[in-house]
C-alpha cells in the first residue's frame, strides 16, 4: 500500500523543523514496514533526493482568505468528478490522481493549522477531504492547533479533524482546542512532536563531524525574525546583551544555528549556486545580533535538518526563540532556555517543554527586557548537570510514549481501529528544584498580562488580514466590472445604439 505523506517541505525557504518532522515520519513508517512512500512537496525533485522516497507536487492554496475558501470548494467539486469546477490545466486534477494511486494519507506534524497560516491549513483540509472522498485512510500526526483560529478557518479545521481517523495534538492547549472544535468523538490523542527523537537519530547516523565546533564547548543560539510587539532594534540589543552575559558567565562561545533561510544548494554537500543568497531570515537575524555583541560568536550558514539537529545535540546549552531547537535539546538532554516572543510561540515552545516536565524553561517576551531571560540562562547553566540528568532520565519514558503513538498511527493507516485513549500518560515529575525562584516568579507575572494582550493583538491582525483580503477581492471584482463595461462601450454594438438613439427620440416625438 502506498502512503502519501503531506509535510510542509520543498519550500523555497528551507525550514529545518518542517523538514525534520517529515524525515522523522518517513523513518518511523519504514520502521513499521511501510516502504512504498510518497512525499507531497513544493519541490518533488529535491524531496526525492532528501527523503529517498517517491514524491509528487502538493496542492498550494492562495493567500487571500476569500480566494482560498473558493478554491477549496472547487477542489472538492473536482474530487467528486465535476469537470466544470476548475480549468483542465489546474493543478488540482493531478493532485487528485496522485492521491487516487495511494491507499492512505499521513499529514505529518506541524504548526500551521491556524488562521495565521490559513493557506497551509486549507491545503491540509483539501488533502484530507480529497483522500476521504477517494476512500483513503487518513491520519494527522503531531499538530499545533491555533491558538488563533477564527471565522471559517475554525469550520475548516473541524471538518479536517472529523474526517481523519486519528489526530495527534502535540501540546495540551492544542488537545483541548481540538476537542472543543471537533468534539470528543473525533479521535484526538495527545502525542509528542514527530521530530522528538530526530536529533539523537541524526547523531547516531554520523551527522556530527565539524572539527571547528568541538562538542560541549558552545552555546547553540537560534533566533527567528519574529519579535512580537517589541521594537526590532530594542529586541536585537536585548538579545545581544543576554547572550553576552551568558557567554561571559559560561566561558562558552555562541554559535548561531539558523533553522530557516533561503540558500538550499549547499544543504546536501554541494557548492552554492552562483548568485545564491547568502543570508536571510534566521541568518540575517543572527548577523544583526552578533554585530551588537561584545563577546565573540560564530555564525553558521543553514545546514540540512539532520546536521542542524546533530549540532544542537552537541551543544553545552541551547538558547532559542524557535520551536525545534527545544525539541532537539530535550532529546539529547542539553539544557535549554527558550524565549516566546508572542502567544503562538508560547503555546508551542512551552507545550514541548511541558511534555517533558520542564515547562518553566519557556519564558515570555517581557522576560528579555527585565533581565529574567539572561538570569534564567545563567541559573540553568549553574544547574546544568541536574537539568541534563533530569532530561536524560525522562527520555526513556517519553520514547516509549512516542513509539506507542507511532504503532497506533501505523495501525490506523491500515484501517485498524486506533486506540483513542492513548496519550502521554503521567507527565514527568522531579524537575530540579535548585533553580532560583526570582526569574520564575517574574515570568509567571508577565504571563498574566502579556499573553492575553498578545492574543488580542494576534486576533486583530488576523481580522485585518481577512478584511484586507475581502477588500482586495472586491476591488478586483470592481475593476473587472469596469473593464467589462468599458469593453461594451467600445464595442460596435454600443456604437450602433448611440447612432440609433437620436432616431428613437425623433420617433417617440411623433407618437
Amino acid at each position: 500500500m502506498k502512503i502519501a505523506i503531506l509535510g510542509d517541505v520543498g519550500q523555497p525557504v528551507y525550514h529545518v523543523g518542517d523538514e525534520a518532522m517529515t524525515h522523522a515520519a518517513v523513518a518511523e513508517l519504514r520502521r513499521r514496514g511501510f516502504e512504498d512512500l510518497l512525499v507531497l512537496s513544493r519541490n518533488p525533485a529535491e524531496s526525492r533526493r532528501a527523503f529517498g522516497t517517491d514524491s509528487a507536487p502538493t496542492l498550494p492554496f492562495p493567500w487571500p482568505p476569500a480566494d482560498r475558501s473558493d478554491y477549496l470548494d472547487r477542489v472538492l467539486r473536482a474530487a467528486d468528478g465535476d469537470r466544470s469546477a476548475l480549468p483542465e490545466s489546474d493543478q488540482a486534477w493531478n493532485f487528485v490522481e496522485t492521491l487516487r494511486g495511494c491507499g492512505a494519507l499521513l499529514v505529518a506534524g506541524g504548526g500551521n493549522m491556524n488562521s495565521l497560516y490559513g493557506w497551509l491549513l486549507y491545503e491540509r483540509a483539501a488533502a484530507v477531504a480529497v483522500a476521504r472522498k477517494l476512500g483513503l485512510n487518513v491520519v494527522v500526526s503531531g499538530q499545533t492547533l491555533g491558538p488563533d483560529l477564527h471565522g471559517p478557518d475554525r469550520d475548516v479545521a473541524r471538518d479536517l479533524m472529523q474526517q481523519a481517523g486519528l489526530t495527534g495534538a502535540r501540546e495540551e492547549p492544542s488537545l483541548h482546542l481540538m476537542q472543543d472544535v471537533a468534539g470528543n468523538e473525533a479521535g484526538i490523542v495527545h502525542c509528542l512532536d514527530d521530530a522528538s527523537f530526530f536529533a539523537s537519530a541524526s547523531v547516531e547516523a554520523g551527522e556530527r563531524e565539524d572539527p571547528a565546533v568541538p562538542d560541549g564547548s558552545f552555546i547553540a543560539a537560534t533566533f527567528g525574525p519574529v519579535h512580537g510587539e517589541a521594537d526590532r532594534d530594542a529586541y536585537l540589543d536585548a538579545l545581544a546583551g543576554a547572550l553576552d552575559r551568558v557567554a561571559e558567565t559560561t566561558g562558552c562561545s555562541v554559535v548561531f544555528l539558523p533553522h530557516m533561510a533561503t540558500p538550499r544548494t549547499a544543504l546536501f554537500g554541494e557548492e552554492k549556486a552562483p548568485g545564491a543568497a547568502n543570508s536571510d531570515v534566521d541568518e540575517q537575524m543572527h548577523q544583526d545580533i552578533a554585530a551588537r555583541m561584545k563577546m565573540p560568536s560564530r555564525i553558521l550558514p543553514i545546514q540540512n535538518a539532520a546536521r542542524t539537529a546533530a549540532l544542537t545535540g552537541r551543544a553545552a546549552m541551547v538558547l532559542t526563540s524557535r520551536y525545534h531547537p527545544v525539541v532537539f535539546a530535550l532529546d539529547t538532554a542539553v539544557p535549554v532556555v527558550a524565549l516566546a516572543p508572542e502567544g503562538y510561540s508560547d503555546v508551542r515552545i512551552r507545550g514541548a517543554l511541558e511534555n517533558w516536565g520542564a515547562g518553566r524553561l519557556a519564558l515570555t517576551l517581557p522576560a528579555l527586557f527585565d533581565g529574567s531571560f539572561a538570569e534564567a540562562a545563567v541559573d540553568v547553566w549553574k544547574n546544568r548537570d541536574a537539568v541534563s540528568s533530569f532530561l536524560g532520565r525522562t527520555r526513556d519514558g517519553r520514547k516509549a510514549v512516542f513509539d506507542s503513538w507511532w504503532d497506533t498511527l501505523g495501525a490506523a493507516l491500515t484501517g485498524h481501529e486506533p486506540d483513542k485513549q492513548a496519550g502521554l500518560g503521567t507527565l514527568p515529575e522531579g524537575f530540579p528544584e535548585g533553580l532560583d525562584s526570582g526569574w520564575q516568579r517574574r515570568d509567571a507575572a508577565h504571563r498574566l498580562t502579556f499573553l492575553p494582550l498578545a492574543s488580542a493583538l494576534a486576533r486583530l491582525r488576523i481580522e485585518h488580514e481577512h478584511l484586507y483580503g475581502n477588500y482586495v477581492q472586491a476591488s478586483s471584482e470592481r475593476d473587472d466590472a469596469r473593464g467589462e463595461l468599458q469593453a461594451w462601450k467600445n464595442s460596435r454594438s454600443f456604437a450602433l445604439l448611440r447612432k440609433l438613439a437620436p432616431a428613437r427620440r425623433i420617433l417617440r416625438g411623433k407618437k
Side-chain angles (χ1 to χ4, degrees), residues 2 87 95 124 141 147 212 219 260 265 444:
K2 177 172 287 188
F95 182 77
R124 278 141 187 77
S141 187
I219 297 166
M260 197 170 180
T265 53

Side-chain angles (χ1 to χ4, degrees), residues 303-373:
Q303 310 284 310
N304 68 28
R307 291 173 189 164
T308 303
L311 276 169
T312 304
R314 293 172 50 202
M317 174 184 274
V318 171
L319 300 177
T320 185
S321 67
R322 281 202 177 276
Y323 175 80
H324 273 98
V326 171
V327 173
F328 298 160
L330 292 170
D331 175 22
T332 51
V334 176
V336 55
V337 179
L339 180 72
E342 26 77 271
Y344 172 61
S345 299
D346 185 70
V347 165
R348 295 179 301 127
I349 289 172
R350 187 174 179 85
L353 286 160
E354 285 181 336
N355 287 341
W356 288 62
R360 69 191 75 181
L361 299 181
L363 285 77
T364 54
L365 180 63
L368 176 64
F369 292 98
D370 73 358
S372 296
F373 178 70

Side-chain angles (χ1 to χ4, degrees), residues 497-511:
L497 287 174
R498 292 186 63 181
K499 290 179 180 179
L500 292 174
R504 292 179 64 186
R505 286 196 295 269
I506 292 172
L507 290 173
R508 285 176 180 169
K510 287 182 177 180
K511 287 184 179 179

